[in-house]
Amino acid sequence: MIAEIGFGSLFISLIISVYGVIAAIYGERNHQRKWVFSAKQAMRLVFPLLTLSIGSLIFLILNNNFEVVYVASVSSINMPVYLKITAIWGGQAGSMLFWSWLLAGFGFIVTFRKWDRDQDFLPWVIAICLGTIAFFVVLNTFFENPFVRYWQVNQEIVQSFVHPPGGIQVAPRNGGGLNPLLRHPGMIIHPPMQYLGFVAFIVPYAFAMASLITGRSDDRWIQLSRPWAIWAWLFLSLGLILGARWAYDVLGWGGYWGWDPVENSALMPWLSGTAFLHAVLIQEKRNMFKQWPIVLIIVTYNLVIFGTFLTRSGLLSSVHSFARSSIGPIFLAFIALTFIASFWLLSSRWEKFKSRQVLTSFFSKEALILITIILFLGMLVTTFWGVIFPNISELVTGQKVTVGPPFYERVAGPILGGVLVIMVICPLAVWSFVSFKHLGKLLWKPFIVSLLGVLLPIYGGLTKVPAVIAFWLVAFVLAVNGFEFIRRTRLRRRSQSESLFQTISGVFQRNKRSYSAMIIHVGMVFMALGIIGIEFFQTETQGTIAEGQELQLASYTMEYEQLDIFNTSDDRNVARAVILVKKDGQVIDEIYPRRDFYYDSNQQVTIPGVRSTLVDDFYTILVDWKAVTSEGATFKVYHNPLVKWLWIGAWTIILGVVVTSLPDNRSTRAGSRTRGRDGHRN
Amino acid sequence: MVTEIKKTSWVAALSILLVVCLIPAAVYAQGSGPSDDEVNAVAKQLYCPVCENIPLDACGTTACEQWRGVIRDRLAEGWSEDQIKEYFVAQYGDRVLAEPPREGFNWVVYIVPMVIFVGGGVLFITGIKRWRDSGQDRTLRRGGKKVPEPDKLSDDDIKRVEEELLKRSKG
Amino acid sequence: MKKILLWGGLGLLLLFLTIGLIRSQKGQVSVGEIAPDFELISFAGESYQLSEYRGSVVVLNFWASWCDTCKPEAKDLEAAYQYYRSRGDVIFLGVDYVDTEPEALGYLEEFGVTYPNGPDLRTEISQAYRVGGVPETFIIDQDGLIAHVQIGPFRSLEDILLRIDPLLD
């Protein structure tokens, strides 16, 4: 019954979204507002319908309805409720439904904004959003239906949604359970964040396309999409960082990023999305390079779809996967349609979006931002090429190849360095022009402070040249931002008499965007610190030791205290080691690396024991143990300096985005536009 | 090139002889054998041939353990890191390397990004030149009117102007 | 010029995706196709060229010592080999898919496998047959065409004989 409700509402939402697309375009073509209005209502209706559908799926999972194939494949009786919720996106069909639901959610919210000034955009935004929703719902309805059930027909078990003639519904006694690797608290928020990030780019994309279709080439579409793009970017960043955290906590290889094709296909839209947000800035402030943001948002959205295709169609799947997804061909058709339509529109409106580019100085803010965009695009091209090359190579030579970390890092290292250099200069640079002399005047104080910041580690024995340069750049960026903040606060205090707190909050209020950018950039630098720490200074060792024996790494000593092996109520067999962490002979911490074996899915997961401080992480993995555990267990130990700053940086970035979207006093935004040509028609 | 070895009795005898001779050496090598760290140092540079995109040193399956065992044996026999890598490539194909080997068609993977970078750089620099030229035009044409001479205004002045504009737009 | 680059690039990308998708959806070489030729070098060092076995039925089995589902069928395959041995026109070849030699030899000994087995060097044979996993068995008829594809293990000796007998007169 519940499955019927779920599928029924899914199917109705498909019909309604197809209707909406047609109504929106028909209304626009014939200048009949009522049809567009009807299409808008359709878009509002799809979200509750899909909510009902996904709600049914949640109910089925929570209720252990294993006659539903999807439920049996991702859930089991003993799974706690939070994991059952996670199971919604634990498999292809469910995650697809979740994706459609989020997409519909964004469509739903968009309809509620005031459209008075943008009536001409409305039908196209509806058509694009609903068209995309319709596509994903088609996938769910005809190819990856999460409501398919098991039936017994003449001694044979068949999978079907509709009741086959003579069939009896059957259900396995228990489900296979969620993939153990996905049973991590991070997995509860990582996929939703990642999906939100991907899906939210539909809105800026729809605005951009509407702008191209209507030929309205002012910067209205940018004003409309910017907040959406920022939130999409934040979600995508969070998704990436949570994924990294999950890899660090669960995959047990001491790292957080492996340049795996699946990771890369999530990184690519982030790179172009970041480039987009910067290009928007140039257009808003200087009304230049108007073609760039529109190209970048189209590329970003297309990369989202492309990445989804790569990871879901089986094109990137492993040798072991017997299951071949059937969504490949139709997905390919959708991709072809999206790519061709986007770029065809773009090239046909190209001249309209031409703007006069004027660069007066290499040190002007726009020139620096332009270089930043180029750097991000460089990384994007490299990543893209690395992701697709193994497939090309297999076509040409018949040999499979791996394009792994060394390939990407060769490019990523210098690019990260370049971005840091720009982050030193950029906060001091001014729009349109800045003299080198002026820049020098602002730079020398932070420069000296940054030297102090790097001399300390050198004094402490740091010898790696790239690491010294990296540390120095990090210190420099922090110093520049600090000095700039003080300078601006002083400037304001001189002109107005108010308390320091008032001044600081006032400065923030006035220039919210540039300060939030400052915070986000500082967060980025913190993350760079973490990356530098692990890339240059990670050390590791492995050894088999008996109880009471020790292993040494960096300034730490670990003592193997004991190993317990026991079963848990949720069908796991846990082997958990107790490790004493010592420094200078003193016990400073106790950590528990363990290995969980899941009976229901016959898989094991290695969970590291980590002592984490601002300076470094001491990361231990239980590799193996002898039959008599007191005789010996094998541990792999990593020393990961500074890695905690990666997560601190992520939190800082969130703070920055939250600052930028604090209640807005509209005059500030209007004011910031006075410089640019302000030409919307109302 | 494969030589067809006929399993005649003398070959068998010889191999037995060899094995017998080698056993003490092998045992000796195991005693002071390569450490886990030495094995991992090589394994780190290789990828598990059956699991997708997992470095051999971090992979927990039995198969991977066996491969690490192979590395250990080869190290004990005195093989160099490169020899071991070559052995793995010959056995399991190019995919065990973290990067495509630099030969034949695989050069494409390295050359294409370089071409794009150089091309992009050239395009960017010519673009900047063009944009700068047009910038000079503009100051020539409009220099006397509204746009102030760049170096006559300090940044602080601009900031003050901005603040003023802000206040006005507010009111 | 710019337009040619744009559309050319986009076209190439889509073409490549299409080909990649077709390949990934294709699965194993299927019944009726010409069996790709290969050279197998056995653990004993002898060379076996598929094309030299025209006129015989070839049973090509992919396995690995780390593969648990391969184990039950190993004995049956050996029994089938012994069954046809005197006829001389049924050839058994075992391809050891990404494995380590000591373990592989241990496996062959454990299950008493005597027909020729050798490593899948550079995974070239398994890629030519587009193997999706192990165990998989391809039965090739006298004309060098694929007569049967077994994905997963054979269930019994009869299961194997049932696939080979119809090919023999």
Side-chain angles (χ1 to χ4, degrees):
Chain A
M1 185 57 206
I2 300 295
E4 273 92 359
I5 293 177
F7 185 76
S9 53
L10 189 67
F11 193 73
I12 297 169
S13 73
L14 172 60
I15 295 169
I16 290 181
S17 31
V18 171
Y19 161 77
V21 174
I22 297 166
I25 296 174
Y26 178 82
E28 153 70 24
R29 289 284 131 188
N30 299 295
H31 306 286
Q32 291 189 324
R33 286 265 142 242
K34 61 178 181 189
W35 284 101
V36 178
F37 178 75
S38 167
K40 190 161 102 178
Q41 299 304 87
M43 191 140 99
R44 281 184 189 166
L45 202 55
V46 168
F47 180 59
L49 279 168
L50 285 177
T51 307
L52 186 61
S53 183
I54 201 164
S56 317
L57 186 60
I58 295 174
F59 180 88
L60 290 168
I61 294 176
L62 290 179
N63 209 27
N64 295 325
N65 284 72
F66 296 126
E67 74 272 11
V68 177
V69 178
Y70 183 76
V71 177
S73 69
V74 294
S75 182
S76 63
I77 293 171
N78 290 328
M79 259 167 44
V81 172
Y82 80 92
L83 281 180
K84 287 186 172 171
I85 301 287
T86 314
I88 296 163
W89 48 80
Q92 173 97 300
S95 68
M96 216 73 142
L97 181 60
F98 183 61
W99 178 285
S100 311
W101 178 69
L102 287 177
L103 207 54
F106 278 106
F108 184 72
I109 302 169
V110 163
T111 56
F112 284 101
R113 62 174 307 278
K114 282 207 183 75
W115 285 95
D116 316 344
R117 294 169 68 191
D118 314 297
Q119 288 295 347
D120 46 348
F121 282 173
L122 181 61
W124 299 114
V125 170
I126 293 173
I128 287 159
C129 288
L130 272 185
T132 315
I133 293 169
F135 165 71
F136 281 99
V137 174
V138 161
L139 291 185
N140 263 134
T141 317
F142 300 109
F143 298 93
E144 294 286 348
N145 183 350
F147 299 105
V148 164
R149 286 162 294 182
Y150 288 114
W151 303 89
Q152 186 169 9
V153 188
N154 309 325
Q155 313 299 314
E156 250 184 282
I157 304 287
V158 292
Q159 299 181 5
S160 158
F161 173 72
V162 286
H163 190 165
I168 314 159
Q169 206 170 76
V170 285
R173 224 175 299 131
N174 197 354
L178 191 64
N179 182 344
L181 286 177
L182 304 181
R183 301 185 194 192
H184 176 262
M187 272 294 128
I188 308 165
I189 25 178
H190 160 63
M193 284 300 155
Q194 194 88 65
Y195 287 8
L196 273 174
F198 284 150
V199 164
F201 275 112
I202 178 94
V203 180
Y205 170 76
F207 280 125
M209 292 300 277
S211 172
L212 282 177
I213 296 170
T214 57
R216 186 170 152 187
S217 64
D218 60 14
D219 59 357
R220 181 66 182 155
W221 78 270
I222 283 195
Q223 291 162 27
L224 299 176
S225 14
R226 199 181 150 272
W228 293 89
I230 285 186
W231 282 99
W233 181 87
L234 176 71
F235 289 134
L236 199 50
S237 309
L238 280 179
L240 286 168
I241 200 81
L242 285 167
R245 180 77 214 210
W246 167 75
Y248 191 73
D249 284 351
V250 172
L251 295 186
W253 47 279
Y256 53 89
W257 187 262
W259 297 102
D260 168 86
V262 179
E263 291 170 353
N264 285 341
S265 52
L267 177 70
M268 288 192 284
W270 184 86
L271 288 168
S272 61
T274 313
F276 167 73
L277 287 177
H278 287 89
V280 161
L281 212 58
I282 308 185
Q283 167 158 7
E284 278 191 339
K285 298 281 182 177
R286 302 278 300 138
N287 204 35
M288 294 195 311
F289 300 103
K290 281 171 69 174
Q291 292 158 334
W292 289 53
I294 208 150
V295 171
L296 287 170
I297 196 65
I298 285 174
V299 166
T300 304
Y301 177 73
N302 283 342
L303 283 172
V304 166
I305 300 287
F306 181 71
T308 318
F309 171 72
L310 280 189
T311 47
R312 283 172 189 274
S313 67
L315 208 64
L316 286 184
S317 76
S318 92
V319 219
H320 295 286
S321 67
F322 280 83
R324 267 177 217 93
S325 179
S326 52
I327 61 172
I330 186 174
F331 212 134
L332 184 67
F334 178 69
I335 282 206
L337 180 74
T338 315
F339 280 24
I340 292 170
S342 307
F343 287 100
W344 178 74
L345 264 173
L346 192 64
S347 74
S348 66
R349 294 274 194 261
W350 190 245
E351 296 300 318
K352 238 186 147 138
F353 282 81
K354 254 206 171 116
S355 56
R356 258 189 95 75
Q357 266 81 274
V358 180
L359 284 181
T360 41
S361 161
F362 279 113
F363 294 99
S364 66
K365 213 160 204 162
E366 57 265 31
L368 292 170
I369 291 178
L370 210 57
I371 296 170
T372 314
I373 294 173
I374 302 278
L375 289 176
F376 274 102
L377 290 182
M379 194 64 237
L380 175 64
V381 168
T382 311
T383 315
F384 185 80
W385 183 240
V387 168
I388 63 168
F389 183 76
N391 287 291
I392 296 179
S393 154
E394 208 187 338
L395 281 183
V396 177
T397 64
Q399 264 286 309
K400 278 202 173 83
V401 291
T402 308
V403 179
F407 176 81
Y408 299 102
E409 280 165 2
R410 208 171 296 130
V411 180
I415 283 184
L416 180 64
V419 169
L420 284 176
V421 169
I422 291 174
M423 279 158 103
V424 168
I425 313 173
C426 212
L428 306 176
V430 181
W431 294 105
S432 88
F433 54 78
V434 64
S435 70
F436 193 67
K437 210 175 81 189
H438 173 77
L439 206 60
K441 221 166 63 190
L442 290 171
L443 270 178
W444 73 270
K445 273 191 243 168
F447 175 73
I448 289 175
V449 172
S450 72
L451 281 186
L452 287 177
V454 80
L455 280 177
L456 224 70
I458 292 178
Y459 178 72
L462 180 71
T463 47
K464 290 179 186 167
V465 177
V468 170
I469 295 173
F471 270 132
W472 170 65
L473 282 174
V474 164
F476 207 172
V477 177
L478 291 178
V480 161
N481 277 294
F483 272 93
E484 183 62 11
F485 183 74
I486 295 169
R487 194 182 68 87
R488 288 195 204 177
T489 317
R490 274 225 198 107
L491 205 70
R492 198 185 144 95
R493 281 200 81 181
R494 222 183 294 153
S495 59
Q496 270 143 327
S497 48
E498 52 190 11
S499 77
L500 187 65
F501 176 75
Q502 269 180 322
T503 310
I504 289 175
S505 69
V507 166
F508 263 103
Q509 267 302 312
R510 271 265 185 282
N511 248 327
K512 219 174 48 188
R513 267 174 68 177
S514 87
Y515 281 101
S516 74
M518 212 182 228
I519 296 171
I520 292 171
H521 287 154
V522 167
M524 282 292 171
V525 170
F526 285 159
M527 288 182 70
L529 206 59
I531 294 170
I532 293 165
I534 212 162
E535 286 296 328
F536 290 120
F537 302 108
Q538 185 181 52
T539 49
E540 59 172 89
T541 188
Q542 181 177 320
T544 307
I545 48 177
E547 272 184 17
Q549 285 186 322
E550 293 176 339
L551 266 181
Q552 273 193 342
L553 185 66
S555 54
Y556 291 96
T557 307
M558 59 162 270
E559 187 190 320
Y560 169 36
E561 182 91 343
Q562 69 186 78
L563 181 74
D564 306 311
I565 301 179
F566 53 90
N567 284 327
T568 62
S569 60
D570 56 348
D571 270 352
R572 278 179 302 158
N573 177 272
V574 177
R576 176 174 172 276
V578 179
I579 300 288
L580 297 180
V581 183
K582 296 183 197 168
K583 207 168 191 175
D584 307 322
Q586 296 281 312
V587 175
I588 49 170
D589 208 345
E590 207 177 280
I591 50 177
Y592 317 100
R594 57 175 224 264
R595 195 279 287 118
D596 289 12
F597 180 82
Y598 288 84
Y599 289 110
D600 51 8
S601 56
N602 239 322
Q603 286 191 57
Q604 61 175 44
V605 178
T606 316
I607 295 164
V610 185
R611 173 190 156 80
S612 182
T613 65
L614 287 181
V615 181
D616 52 12
D617 276 20
F618 188 73
Y619 183 107
T620 56
I621 300 165
L622 176 62
V623 177
D624 204 357
W625 56 88
K626 293 194 170 152
V628 181
T629 57
S630 60
E631 276 177 8
T634 308
F635 294 97
K636 192 163 189 188
V637 193
Y638 292 93
H639 181 241
N640 298 331
L642 299 173
V643 75
K644 196 164 199 170
W645 289 92
L646 201 63
W647 324 122
I648 295 177
W651 285 109
T652 316
I653 289 170
I654 301 174
L655 178 74
V657 175
V658 171
V659 165
T660 193
S661 42
L662 284 176
D664 206 33
N665 43 354
R666 294 200 55 84
S667 58
T668 317
R669 288 184 56 195
S672 71
R673 278 207 308 275
T674 45
R675 251 197 187 178
R677 185 175 56 95
D678 199 349
H680 351 109
R681 35 189 167 115
N682 293 319
Chain B
M1 301 308 103
V2 185
T3 50
E4 289 206 11
I5 302 165
K6 289 271 182 300
K7 262 200 197 168
T8 50
S9 56
W10 68 268
V11 171
L14 188 68
S15 57
I16 288 170
L17 194 71
L18 275 172
V19 167
V20 171
C21 294
L22 283 175
I23 282 172
V27 168
Y28 175 75
Q30 285 235 320
S32 62
S35 70
D36 287 355
D37 288 345
E38 283 165 337
V39 173
N40 280 338
V42 182
K44 217 183 175 66
Q45 301 169 47
L46 292 167
Y47 271 75
C48 162
V50 278
C51 10
E52 210 87 338
N53 294 302
I54 299 179
L56 197 51
D57 68 321
C59 157
T61 63
T62 336
C64 288
E65 226 159 83
Q66 290 173 7
W67 279 305
R68 284 194 291 269
V70 170
I71 296 176
R72 188 183 300 273
D73 295 345
R74 296 290 181 271
L75 281 174
E77 287 164 21
W79 288 35
S80 75
E81 218 171 87
D82 287 335
Q83 281 174 312
I84 296 175
K85 279 200 215 163
E86 271 167 36
Y87 170 79
F88 268 80
V89 170
Q91 286 284 315
Y92 312 117
D94 292 340
R95 57 195 298 248
V96 296
L97 296 176
E99 268 191 311
R102 289 178 169 71
E103 57 187 36
F105 178 75
N106 287 333
W107 275 109
V108 174
V109 77
Y110 302 101
I111 290 169
V112 165
M114 275 187 233
V115 169
I116 292 176
F117 284 167
V118 172
V122 169
L123 270 179
F124 183 62
I125 287 167
T126 52
I128 280 196
K129 272 200 179 138
R130 211 173 54 229
W131 299 324
R132 271 179 72 95
D133 290 348
S134 62
Q136 278 157 6
D137 283 5
R138 194 183 73 151
T139 34
L140 275 179
R141 266 189 290 108
R142 296 171 63 184
K145 288 181 188 171
K146 271 182 182 172
V147 180
E149 278 305 307
D151 37 8
K152 280 187 188 161
L153 258 181
S154 79
D155 294 341
D156 293 351
D157 292 337
I158 289 172
K159 213 144 263 163
R160 232 169 288 146
V161 173
E162 272 187 334
E163 300 267 315
E164 200 58 38
L165 281 170
L166 273 182
K167 268 181 219 158
R168 287 199 189 158
S169 59
K170 223 179 196 177
Chain C
M1 178 62 193
K2 265 186 201 165
K3 282 202 171 165
I4 296 170
L5 266 179
L6 173 72
W7 293 115
L10 208 60
L12 262 178
L13 179 68
L14 290 174
L15 180 75
F16 152 75
L17 287 180
T18 315
I19 297 173
L21 191 68
I22 291 170
R23 276 177 65 103
S24 75
Q25 303 237 315
K26 229 169 164 184
Q28 292 79 0
V29 282
S30 51
V31 174
E33 276 184 67
I34 298 171
D37 192 22
F38 61 84
E39 184 191 24
L40 177 75
I41 295 148
S42 74
F43 290 118
E46 281 167 77
S47 163
Y48 299 86
Q49 190 81 34
L50 178 70
S51 53
E52 285 169 14
Y53 298 109
R54 273 300 147 76
S56 303
V57 171
V58 178
V59 180
L60 179 65
N61 174 248
F62 289 89
W63 60 277
S65 70
W66 43 261
C67 154
D68 289 327
T69 42
C70 300
K71 285 169 186 166
E73 71 164 5
K75 271 199 176 110
D76 294 334
L77 279 166
E78 173 63 22
Y81 168 64
Q82 294 299 346
Y83 178 84
Y84 292 112
R85 198 172 175 181
S86 52
R87 289 185 55 113
D89 64 347
V90 181
I91 310 293
F92 280 70
L93 292 177
V95 179
D96 182 18
Y97 175 71
V98 285
D99 207 347
T100 44
E101 198 169 323
E103 280 76 12
L105 292 176
Y107 176 96
L108 292 177
E109 201 183 309
E110 186 185 343
F111 297 103
V113 179
T114 56
Y115 59 85
N117 272 278
D120 180 17
L121 292 179
R122 290 173 67 82
T123 64
E124 272 163 2
I125 306 174
S126 55
Q127 269 176 283
Y129 283 79
R130 299 194 293 268
V131 164
V134 276
E136 273 176 26
T137 308
F138 297 83
I139 297 177
I140 300 155
D141 69 13
Q142 288 89 339
D143 303 322
L145 303 178
I146 305 277
H148 175 70
V149 180
Q150 176 77 25
I151 295 168
F154 284 109
R155 261 164 274 152
S156 61
L157 174 62
E158 288 68 40
D159 201 12
I160 304 174
L161 303 186
L162 206 70
R163 299 297 178 183
I164 299 173
D165 278 337
L167 301 174
L168 305 167
D169 304 315

